[in-house]
Amino acid sequence: MKKIFASALFFFFITSCATIYQPKTLFGGYSASQINENTWKVTFEGNGYTSKTRTENFAMRRAAEITLREGYTHFLITDSDTYVKTSVRTIPQSSRTTGTVSDYGNFQYADTIYYGGQTYTVSKPSTNSYFVLVSETQANEINSLNGLVFNAELFLSQFLD
């Protein structure tokens, strides 16, 4: 019985929190694939407790990490898309009836309590970002694209989560 309770408690804590920054698992996370020499795609999938902004930030964080790992200083976002998968869940209805019957005076009493029967919506955001690795020189040459070119080291130093 203690093992069942501990497992249920563990499952509750795992599923009741926003997705953490981690490689993709059953509970969400990031994945990355290289498209060509300097172009990558990063995806971050959240769970029902993760905001769209959080998935976008985590996709950018992974892009910055890949940029530095590959020996570059900056990355250029070429395309980014955030979407939300929505599913509807219904808890089945159940009931419990209790009653009292008396042989004296033919008294009868019953009470029924209904549980469940609730429907709720779960939204799971995901972000896909395509980016190109660029050197500092290239970043300076294309600085007119301010807001699309990011300094990877600076981005990571300001990341709070």
Side-chain angles (χ1 to χ4, degrees):
M1 187 65 154
K2 287 182 182 180
K3 288 182 183 180
I4 293 172
F5 177 75
S7 296
L9 189 59
F10 175 74
F11 183 76
F12 171 78
F13 282 118
I14 291 294
T15 58
S16 66
C17 300
T19 304
I20 61 172
Y21 184 75
Q22 65 184 7
K24 189 170 184 316
T25 67
L26 181 64
F27 303 107
Y30 63 78
S31 61
S33 57
Q34 189 170 7
I35 307 298
N36 62 36
E37 184 180 345
N38 292 341
T39 306
W40 289 75
K41 174 187 177 187
V42 170
T43 299
F44 190 90
E45 295 181 13
N47 63 20
Y49 296 95
T50 309
S51 69
K52 287 176 23 175
T53 301
R54 187 176 177 96
T55 64
E56 292 164 353
N57 287 340
F58 281 164
M60 294 278 290
R61 177 178 174 178
R62 187 64 187 146
E65 290 172 348
I66 291 171
T67 300
L68 295 175
R69 183 188 76 201
E70 295 296 314
Y72 289 83
T73 57
H74 292 73
F75 60 100
L76 167 68
I77 299 293
T78 59
D79 189 22
S80 187
D81 178 34
T82 301
Y83 58 95
V84 178
K85 296 177 192 173
T86 304
S87 60
V88 177
R89 308 274 187 213
T90 301
I91 299 172
Q93 189 175 47
S94 61
S95 63
R96 186 182 95 201
T97 302
T98 57
T100 304
V101 176
S102 173
D103 288 337
Y104 308 106
N106 211 8
F107 173 77
Q108 298 178 1
Y109 171 77
D111 184 31
T112 302
I113 301 173
Y114 294 93
Y115 301 94
Q118 299 170 349
T119 300
Y120 59 97
T121 303
V122 177
S123 299
K124 297 180 180 181
S126 294
T127 297
N128 291 317
S129 291
Y130 292 86
F131 64 98
V132 176
L133 306 173
V134 294
S135 67
E136 186 170 1
T137 304
Q138 291 169 321
N140 290 334
E141 290 173 5
I142 56 176
N143 65 5
S144 62
L145 298 174
N146 193 14
L148 299 176
V149 179
F150 296 89
N151 179 317
E153 192 172 297
L154 180 62
F155 182 84
L156 289 175
S157 71
Q158 295 177 353
F159 202 87
L160 300 176
D161 197 316

